[in-house]
Amino acid sequence: GAGVSQSPRYKVAKRGQDVALRCDPISGHVSLFWYQQALGQGPEFLTYFQNEAQLDKSGLPSDRFFAERPEGSVSTLKIQRTQQEDSAVYLCASSVQGRNSPLHFGNGTRLTVT
Amino acid sequence: GENVEQHPSTLSVQEGDSAVIKCTYSDSASNYFPWYKQELGKRPQLIIDIRSNVGEKKDQRIAVTLNKTAKHFSLHITETQPEDSAVYFCAASSAGGSQGNLIFGKGTKLSVKP
């Protein structure tokens, strides 16, 4: 596709449920990033992939968060046993290469945990 | 790690006036500084970026300046128009870790009054 595609666009989960968020990056983009954006805040880094390798997961807030990109293209961010503080917009971004390359963001998934 | 501070948090200008947003960063090894515009409910979109080997870059009504010694960079928008109203985020590359991660400021909400 022409841009980064994320699904679902909105997700409502009851506390304790597991959720899976999907990201389809721009074709050919090597690098893929996940960011969390709370209301009124800037995006905060969660994790980074180069092809299928997860090179940095230092931003994942807890072991309930898990991300994968098994074939170096589509990525999934999974949150287990969701908590209210997980409510945020989850943004995926891709770039041609990692360092110093413009990031192209998707529209994000707005997660609301009730 | 890198820390990015952004000011002001809100900015209101009259149509046709100039707007300036300033950011400071902490890691002297950072060398890539993009600016993103985010309209309500939409994805962040890159509007301009600068690398540390230049001090200024201009694209029509938008310019960015970088002072590496002082570790600050600024976005300048001239002849503002109502469609410039949005939240603007500055970011700086993280020199360590993932080699591609961006650290974002908290954003500036710009309102251009017609």
Side-chain angles (χ1 to χ4, degrees), chain A residues 76-107:
Chain A
T76 303
L77 176 67
K78 297 179 180 177
I79 309 173
Q80 296 177 323
R81 305 181 303 281
T82 52
Q83 304 293 316
Q84 282 192 315
E85 60 263 29
D86 300 335
S87 296
V89 174
Y90 290 86
L91 293 167
C92 177
S94 69
S95 70
V96 172
Q97 59 183 22
R99 191 159 182 79
N100 298 347
S101 295
L103 296 189
H104 301 265
F105 283 90
N107 281 323

mmCIF file of all heavy atoms in Angstrom, chain A residues 76-107:
data_model
loop_
_atom_site.group_PDB
_atom_site.id
_atom_site.type_symbol
_atom_site.label_atom_id
_atom_site.label_comp_id
_atom_site.label_asym_id
_atom_site.label_seq_id
_atom_site.Cartn_x
_atom_site.Cartn_y
_atom_site.Cartn_z
ATOM 1 N N THR A 76 3.047 -7.367 14.894
ATOM 2 C CA THR A 76 1.942 -7.406 15.838
ATOM 3 C C THR A 76 2.439 -7.009 17.216
ATOM 4 O O THR A 76 3.479 -7.491 17.673
ATOM 5 C CB THR A 76 1.326 -8.816 15.911
ATOM 6 O OG1 THR A 76 0.902 -9.219 14.611
ATOM 7 C CG2 THR A 76 0.115 -8.821 16.839
ATOM 8 N N LEU A 77 1.716 -6.111 17.847
ATOM 9 C CA LEU A 77 1.980 -5.737 19.234
ATOM 10 C C LEU A 77 0.885 -6.374 20.074
ATOM 11 O O LEU A 77 -0.307 -6.150 19.831
ATOM 12 C CB LEU A 77 1.962 -4.217 19.408
ATOM 13 C CG LEU A 77 2.122 -3.686 20.841
ATOM 14 C CD1 LEU A 77 3.516 -3.997 21.376
ATOM 15 C CD2 LEU A 77 1.870 -2.180 20.894
ATOM 16 N N LYS A 78 1.278 -7.177 21.027
ATOM 17 C CA LYS A 78 0.318 -7.870 21.881
ATOM 18 C C LYS A 78 0.437 -7.347 23.306
ATOM 19 O O LYS A 78 1.546 -7.168 23.819
ATOM 20 C CB LYS A 78 0.572 -9.377 21.847
ATOM 21 C CG LYS A 78 0.386 -9.986 20.463
ATOM 22 C CD LYS A 78 0.671 -11.482 20.456
ATOM 23 C CE LYS A 78 0.469 -12.061 19.058
ATOM 24 N NZ LYS A 78 0.798 -13.514 18.995
ATOM 25 N N ILE A 79 -0.699 -7.109 23.904
ATOM 26 C CA ILE A 79 -0.743 -6.683 25.297
ATOM 27 C C ILE A 79 -1.590 -7.696 26.045
ATOM 28 O O ILE A 79 -2.762 -7.907 25.725
ATOM 29 C CB ILE A 79 -1.336 -5.269 25.457
ATOM 30 C CG1 ILE A 79 -0.635 -4.272 24.524
ATOM 31 C CG2 ILE A 79 -1.214 -4.814 26.910
ATOM 32 C CD1 ILE A 79 -1.274 -2.894 24.515
ATOM 33 N N GLN A 80 -0.985 -8.316 27.040
ATOM 34 C CA GLN A 80 -1.692 -9.315 27.822
ATOM 35 C C GLN A 80 -2.261 -8.683 29.093
ATOM 36 O O GLN A 80 -1.690 -7.736 29.647
ATOM 37 C CB GLN A 80 -0.735 -10.452 28.192
ATOM 38 C CG GLN A 80 -0.208 -11.214 26.983
ATOM 39 C CD GLN A 80 0.799 -12.286 27.382
ATOM 40 O OE1 GLN A 80 1.600 -12.099 28.294
ATOM 41 N NE2 GLN A 80 0.748 -13.416 26.696
ATOM 42 N N ARG A 81 -3.380 -9.212 29.521
ATOM 43 C CA ARG A 81 -3.989 -8.779 30.801
ATOM 44 C C ARG A 81 -4.020 -7.254 30.881
ATOM 45 O O ARG A 81 -3.450 -6.636 31.788
ATOM 46 C CB ARG A 81 -3.206 -9.368 31.984
ATOM 47 C CG ARG A 81 -3.079 -10.880 31.933
ATOM 48 C CD ARG A 81 -2.326 -11.431 33.129
ATOM 49 N NE ARG A 81 -1.001 -10.867 33.281
ATOM 50 C CZ ARG A 81 0.067 -11.225 32.582
ATOM 51 N NH1 ARG A 81 -0.050 -12.163 31.647
ATOM 52 N NH2 ARG A 81 1.238 -10.679 32.816
ATOM 53 N N THR A 82 -4.712 -6.634 29.935
ATOM 54 C CA THR A 82 -4.716 -5.179 29.817
ATOM 55 C C THR A 82 -5.146 -4.501 31.116
ATOM 56 O O THR A 82 -6.013 -5.000 31.862
ATOM 57 C CB THR A 82 -5.636 -4.716 28.684
ATOM 58 O OG1 THR A 82 -6.931 -5.317 28.857
ATOM 59 C CG2 THR A 82 -5.069 -5.075 27.333
ATOM 60 N N GLN A 83 -4.530 -3.349 31.359
ATOM 61 C CA GLN A 83 -4.824 -2.504 32.500
ATOM 62 C C GLN A 83 -5.301 -1.143 31.993
ATOM 63 O O GLN A 83 -5.018 -0.765 30.844
ATOM 64 C CB GLN A 83 -3.582 -2.327 33.366
ATOM 65 C CG GLN A 83 -2.971 -3.629 33.841
ATOM 66 C CD GLN A 83 -3.865 -4.368 34.812
ATOM 67 O OE1 GLN A 83 -4.429 -3.765 35.723
ATOM 68 N NE2 GLN A 83 -4.008 -5.673 34.618
ATOM 69 N N GLN A 84 -5.966 -0.389 32.859
ATOM 70 C CA GLN A 84 -6.483 0.919 32.439
ATOM 71 C C GLN A 84 -5.359 1.840 31.970
ATOM 72 O O GLN A 84 -5.560 2.641 31.043
ATOM 73 C CB GLN A 84 -7.287 1.558 33.566
ATOM 74 C CG GLN A 84 -8.687 0.979 33.709
ATOM 75 C CD GLN A 84 -9.566 1.808 34.617
ATOM 76 O OE1 GLN A 84 -9.147 2.220 35.681
ATOM 77 N NE2 GLN A 84 -10.800 2.032 34.190
ATOM 78 N N GLU A 85 -4.204 1.732 32.584
ATOM 79 C CA GLU A 85 -3.096 2.616 32.188
ATOM 80 C C GLU A 85 -2.543 2.283 30.801
ATOM 81 O O GLU A 85 -1.709 3.035 30.269
ATOM 82 C CB GLU A 85 -1.956 2.559 33.223
ATOM 83 C CG GLU A 85 -1.353 1.191 33.424
ATOM 84 C CD GLU A 85 -1.936 0.464 34.622
ATOM 85 O OE1 GLU A 85 -3.114 0.711 34.962
ATOM 86 O OE2 GLU A 85 -1.200 -0.357 35.207
ATOM 87 N N ASP A 86 -2.992 1.178 30.220
ATOM 88 C CA ASP A 86 -2.581 0.847 28.862
ATOM 89 C C ASP A 86 -3.375 1.647 27.826
ATOM 90 O O ASP A 86 -3.035 1.635 26.631
ATOM 91 C CB ASP A 86 -2.782 -0.641 28.576
ATOM 92 C CG ASP A 86 -1.970 -1.537 29.509
ATOM 93 O OD1 ASP A 86 -0.932 -1.066 30.029
ATOM 94 O OD2 ASP A 86 -2.376 -2.697 29.707
ATOM 95 N N SER A 87 -4.425 2.320 28.251
ATOM 96 C CA SER A 87 -5.248 3.106 27.322
ATOM 97 C C SER A 87 -4.394 4.209 26.699
ATOM 98 O O SER A 87 -3.806 5.029 27.399
ATOM 99 C CB SER A 87 -6.448 3.721 28.053
ATOM 100 O OG SER A 87 -7.314 2.725 28.545
ATOM 101 N N ALA A 88 -4.346 4.209 25.377
ATOM 102 C CA ALA A 88 -3.505 5.155 24.637
ATOM 103 C C ALA A 88 -3.701 4.886 23.154
ATOM 104 O O ALA A 88 -4.403 3.950 22.762
ATOM 105 C CB ALA A 88 -2.031 4.977 25.001
ATOM 106 N N VAL A 89 -3.064 5.713 22.336
ATOM 107 C CA VAL A 89 -2.980 5.425 20.903
ATOM 108 C C VAL A 89 -1.634 4.743 20.658
ATOM 109 O O VAL A 89 -0.591 5.231 21.107
ATOM 110 C CB VAL A 89 -3.086 6.704 20.055
ATOM 111 C CG1 VAL A 89 -2.859 6.383 18.584
ATOM 112 C CG2 VAL A 89 -4.460 7.348 20.249
ATOM 113 N N TYR A 90 -1.674 3.627 19.970
ATOM 114 C CA TYR A 90 -0.458 2.885 19.647
ATOM 115 C C TYR A 90 -0.135 3.146 18.171
ATOM 116 O O TYR A 90 -0.907 2.792 17.280
ATOM 117 C CB TYR A 90 -0.627 1.400 19.954
ATOM 118 C CG TYR A 90 -0.677 1.186 21.442
ATOM 119 C CD1 TYR A 90 -1.877 1.307 22.139
ATOM 120 C CD2 TYR A 90 0.487 0.924 22.173
ATOM 121 C CE1 TYR A 90 -1.929 1.161 23.526
ATOM 122 C CE2 TYR A 90 0.443 0.782 23.548
ATOM 123 C CZ TYR A 90 -0.767 0.910 24.209
ATOM 124 O OH TYR A 90 -0.813 0.780 25.579
ATOM 125 N N LEU A 91 0.999 3.796 17.963
ATOM 126 C CA LEU A 91 1.424 4.184 16.630
ATOM 127 C C LEU A 91 2.514 3.256 16.140
ATOM 128 O O LEU A 91 3.450 2.927 16.863
ATOM 129 C CB LEU A 91 1.972 5.619 16.653
ATOM 130 C CG LEU A 91 0.970 6.737 16.952
ATOM 131 C CD1 LEU A 91 1.721 8.034 17.259
ATOM 132 C CD2 LEU A 91 0.034 6.938 15.779
ATOM 133 N N CYS A 92 2.390 2.874 14.892
ATOM 134 C CA CYS A 92 3.438 2.116 14.223
ATOM 135 C C CYS A 92 4.073 3.032 13.182
ATOM 136 O O CYS A 92 3.386 3.866 12.567
ATOM 137 C CB CYS A 92 2.840 0.884 13.561
ATOM 138 S SG CYS A 92 4.008 -0.104 12.606
ATOM 139 N N ALA A 93 5.370 2.899 13.005
ATOM 140 C CA ALA A 93 6.072 3.692 11.996
ATOM 141 C C ALA A 93 7.096 2.813 11.298
ATOM 142 O O ALA A 93 7.634 1.879 11.901
ATOM 143 C CB ALA A 93 6.757 4.894 12.634
ATOM 144 N N SER A 94 7.354 3.124 10.050
ATOM 145 C CA SER A 94 8.389 2.390 9.336
ATOM 146 C C SER A 94 9.322 3.369 8.633
ATOM 147 O O SER A 94 8.955 4.533 8.399
ATOM 148 C CB SER A 94 7.788 1.401 8.336
ATOM 149 O OG SER A 94 7.155 2.053 7.250
ATOM 150 N N SER A 95 10.517 2.903 8.338
ATOM 151 C CA SER A 95 11.467 3.727 7.594
ATOM 152 C C SER A 95 12.316 2.836 6.711
ATOM 153 O O SER A 95 12.428 1.632 6.943
ATOM 154 C CB SER A 95 12.348 4.547 8.538
ATOM 155 O OG SER A 95 13.241 3.723 9.244
ATOM 156 N N VAL A 96 12.893 3.476 5.703
ATOM 157 C CA VAL A 96 13.706 2.731 4.748
ATOM 158 C C VAL A 96 14.862 2.041 5.466
ATOM 159 O O VAL A 96 15.185 0.888 5.220
ATOM 160 C CB VAL A 96 14.227 3.669 3.649
ATOM 161 C CG1 VAL A 96 15.221 2.938 2.760
ATOM 162 C CG2 VAL A 96 13.082 4.208 2.825
ATOM 163 N N GLN A 97 15.491 2.790 6.343
ATOM 164 C CA GLN A 97 16.545 2.216 7.177
ATOM 165 C C GLN A 97 16.451 2.861 8.527
ATOM 166 O O GLN A 97 15.751 3.838 8.707
ATOM 167 C CB GLN A 97 17.920 2.432 6.544
ATOM 168 C CG GLN A 97 18.267 3.899 6.318
ATOM 169 C CD GLN A 97 19.600 4.080 5.625
ATOM 170 O OE1 GLN A 97 20.085 3.179 4.969
ATOM 171 N NE2 GLN A 97 20.187 5.241 5.776
ATOM 172 N N GLY A 98 17.166 2.331 9.508
ATOM 173 C CA GLY A 98 16.949 2.775 10.871
ATOM 174 C C GLY A 98 17.426 4.165 11.169
ATOM 175 O O GLY A 98 16.655 5.061 11.467
ATOM 176 N N ARG A 99 18.720 4.367 11.044
ATOM 177 C CA ARG A 99 19.285 5.562 11.621
ATOM 178 C C ARG A 99 19.083 6.778 10.728
ATOM 179 O O ARG A 99 19.385 6.752 9.548
ATOM 180 C CB ARG A 99 20.781 5.352 11.861
ATOM 181 C CG ARG A 99 21.399 6.447 12.691
ATOM 182 C CD ARG A 99 22.688 5.981 13.343
ATOM 183 N NE ARG A 99 23.265 7.000 14.181
ATOM 184 C CZ ARG A 99 22.850 7.280 15.388
ATOM 185 N NH1 ARG A 99 21.859 6.610 15.903
ATOM 186 N NH2 ARG A 99 23.424 8.220 16.103
ATOM 187 N N ASN A 100 18.563 7.831 11.358
ATOM 188 C CA ASN A 100 18.449 9.116 10.680
ATOM 189 C C ASN A 100 17.585 9.078 9.430
ATOM 190 O O ASN A 100 17.810 9.851 8.497
ATOM 191 C CB ASN A 100 19.836 9.662 10.323
ATOM 192 C CG ASN A 100 20.687 9.909 11.551
ATOM 193 O OD1 ASN A 100 20.169 9.900 12.666
ATOM 194 N ND2 ASN A 100 21.961 10.096 11.355
ATOM 195 N N SER A 101 16.642 8.188 9.403
ATOM 196 C CA SER A 101 15.703 8.127 8.281
ATOM 197 C C SER A 101 14.341 8.610 8.740
ATOM 198 O O SER A 101 13.937 8.333 9.868
ATOM 199 C CB SER A 101 15.560 6.700 7.763
ATOM 200 O OG SER A 101 16.750 6.234 7.215
ATOM 201 N N PRO A 102 13.641 9.326 7.880
ATOM 202 C CA PRO A 102 12.300 9.789 8.259
ATOM 203 C C PRO A 102 11.386 8.616 8.603
ATOM 204 O O PRO A 102 11.380 7.594 7.912
ATOM 205 C CB PRO A 102 11.824 10.507 6.990
ATOM 206 C CG PRO A 102 13.063 10.913 6.280
ATOM 207 C CD PRO A 102 14.055 9.817 6.553
ATOM 208 N N LEU A 103 10.633 8.776 9.661
ATOM 209 C CA LEU A 103 9.642 7.780 10.042
ATOM 210 C C LEU A 103 8.301 8.126 9.407
ATOM 211 O O LEU A 103 7.880 9.281 9.424
ATOM 212 C CB LEU A 103 9.470 7.748 11.566
ATOM 213 C CG LEU A 103 10.651 7.327 12.409
ATOM 214 C CD1 LEU A 103 10.232 7.135 13.855
ATOM 215 C CD2 LEU A 103 11.294 6.072 11.870
ATOM 216 N N HIS A 104 7.654 7.101 8.864
ATOM 217 C CA HIS A 104 6.325 7.246 8.295
ATOM 218 C C HIS A 104 5.354 6.542 9.236
ATOM 219 O O HIS A 104 5.449 5.331 9.426
ATOM 220 C CB HIS A 104 6.279 6.628 6.899
ATOM 221 C CG HIS A 104 7.257 7.249 5.944
ATOM 222 N ND1 HIS A 104 6.909 8.274 5.090
ATOM 223 C CD2 HIS A 104 8.573 7.014 5.726
ATOM 224 C CE1 HIS A 104 7.966 8.624 4.378
ATOM 225 N NE2 HIS A 104 8.994 7.883 4.747
ATOM 226 N N PHE A 105 4.442 7.308 9.798
ATOM 227 C CA PHE A 105 3.537 6.763 10.798
ATOM 228 C C PHE A 105 2.232 6.267 10.188
ATOM 229 O O PHE A 105 1.757 6.801 9.172
ATOM 230 C CB PHE A 105 3.187 7.837 11.835
ATOM 231 C CG PHE A 105 4.275 8.079 12.844
ATOM 232 C CD1 PHE A 105 5.246 9.026 12.610
ATOM 233 C CD2 PHE A 105 4.311 7.354 14.028
ATOM 234 C CE1 PHE A 105 6.258 9.254 13.551
ATOM 235 C CE2 PHE A 105 5.303 7.579 14.971
ATOM 236 C CZ PHE A 105 6.277 8.529 14.729
ATOM 237 N N GLY A 106 1.665 5.266 10.851
ATOM 238 C CA GLY A 106 0.298 4.875 10.571
ATOM 239 C C GLY A 106 -0.668 5.752 11.352
ATOM 240 O O GLY A 106 -0.247 6.621 12.122
ATOM 241 N N ASN A 107 -1.961 5.518 11.153
ATOM 242 C CA ASN A 107 -2.977 6.313 11.847
ATOM 243 C C ASN A 107 -3.161 5.902 13.301
ATOM 244 O O ASN A 107 -3.841 6.583 14.059
ATOM 245 C CB ASN A 107 -4.318 6.215 11.132
ATOM 246 C CG ASN A 107 -4.377 7.122 9.915
ATOM 247 O OD1 ASN A 107 -3.844 8.221 9.927
ATOM 248 N ND2 ASN A 107 -4.986 6.634 8.851
#
